[in-house]
Amino acid sequence: NLFGSPNASGQGKICAGPVSEVAAAMFGWHLGRRGYVDGHPGCIFLVGVNPAVGWPRVWKPVRDSKKAGGTLIVIDPRRTETAALADIWLQPRPGTDVALLLSLIHVIIEEKLYRIDFVDEWCHGFERLAERARDYSPEKVADITWVVPDAIRMTARTLAARSPHYSWNGMGIEQQQLSIEALQARFILAAITGSIDVEGGNTMSGPGLIRGIAHIDANDALSPEQKQKQLGADRFRFTSLPGFDLILENTKRVWGSPHQEQTMGASAHQPTLYRAMLSGEPYPVRAMITLAHNPLVTQAN
């Protein structure tokens, strides 16, 4: 984990923890009081997502930013409506996003385009990151991703020059084998360019204007004995109810609200759930309801 940073204004907004769900919540993926994007970013960086179709509340600030002179960078194998609007569109070979993002990190570090002050104060493990990214030159990555080296360099330099940038990703990377690594690489790009918790960058906004799941799911009505039955909670505590309760305590302290996106979900460990269906251990699970989801595709094993 690269991050451990209160923001520059001293508000004490912390991003810590390797779990992608927490990291996503910390980087402004939800509808805050001012919408998804604070201000007009100098640059918006979208990876594997087409908000023109799939996320209208993001698509409007993307277009507003463009009208205000902002730069739009899109990584997507498809020429989507969003890619068609982009100033820079990188069209990688599907499944190679991690290599591409590591090459952007490589260029920014090698050419010393990163925010030295922010990195020195808030980014931990930077030397190890630089060593890891050294193997991902644009020339090497071009063979992996089919994106030409000059396009990789231009994108990296633009991200650095137009920082702070606002970045966002969708299922284009989240439903691949290396989804966690791709998310981490995107967050790293935000960190080393100083694009965290600043206007126009990736922010941790407060509760939205509408009541969300956290207000109606009634987790607090469950008894301790019932909570202990959650499959996998004994081994995978951070992503289950023990972790949820720990984060919820601080969420209420800061925001005065059980803000769902800031506390993350609290689900059963899904591989443990499927094993219980097959084995009946530690207790039988006889039915599953799935809504707007296709686990045979997204969790194929």
Side-chain angles (χ1 to χ4, degrees), residues 102-285:
L102 275 169
S103 193
L104 297 176
I105 294 168
H106 168 97
V107 173
I108 290 172
I109 293 177
E110 288 293 309
E111 298 187 5
K112 293 183 169 51
L113 303 175
Y114 57 91
R115 278 279 306 278
I116 295 176
D117 55 342
F118 190 87
V119 167
D120 286 347
E121 188 165 4
W122 299 121
C123 296
H124 307 282
F126 182 74
E127 294 76 14
R128 291 172 58 194
L129 169 68
E131 181 180 353
R132 180 75 173 111
R134 194 170 294 125
D135 294 332
Y136 290 84
S137 68
E139 287 72 24
K140 177 178 178 179
V141 168
D143 292 334
I144 301 171
T145 64
W146 303 342
V147 177
V148 297
D150 285 348
I152 296 174
R153 287 194 175 86
M154 176 178 64
T155 303
R157 291 165 182 165
T158 302
L159 281 173
R162 300 284 288 175
S163 67
H165 70 261
Y166 174 84
S167 61
W168 176 259
N169 67 266
M171 296 303 170
I173 63 173
E174 289 191 12
Q175 294 186 354
Q176 296 186 31
Q177 285 184 321
L178 299 177
S179 60
I180 301 300
E181 290 81 357
L183 286 164
Q184 289 172 335
R186 178 172 78 79
F187 301 150
I188 285 169
L189 280 166
I192 65 176
T193 58
S195 300
I196 295 176
D197 214 7
V198 292
E199 185 171 340
N202 297 278
T203 62
M204 178 179 172
S205 57
L209 298 175
I210 60 175
R211 295 179 65 81
I213 295 172
H215 296 92
I216 61 175
D217 62 9
N219 273 332
D220 56 351
L222 295 173
S223 67
E225 294 77 20
Q226 190 68 24
K227 288 183 177 182
Q228 288 175 4
K229 296 179 182 179
Q230 186 181 49
L231 290 168
D234 55 335
R235 294 181 57 202
F236 305 96
R237 296 169 58 83
F238 193 63
T239 57
S240 57
L241 282 168
F244 177 88
D245 289 340
L246 182 66
I247 296 173
L248 180 64
E249 176 184 344
N250 289 290
T251 299
K252 287 184 176 179
R253 177 178 57 83
V254 174
W255 299 108
S257 168
H259 187 24
Q260 168 77 13
E261 288 77 8
Q262 303 294 20
T263 56
M264 76 175 191
S267 63
H269 181 247
Q270 295 192 10
T272 302
L273 170 67
Y274 299 141
R275 292 187 189 106
M277 291 178 180
L278 294 171
S279 68
E281 298 294 336
Y283 55 80
V285 177

Side-chain angles (χ1 to χ4, degrees), residues 19 22 29 41 73 79 84 91 123 138 143 176 183 190 206 249 291:
V19 179
V22 177
W29 70 331
I73 300 174
R79 190 179 187 275
Q91 190 177 17
C123 296
D143 292 334
Q176 296 186 31
L183 286 164
E249 176 184 344
L291 302 175

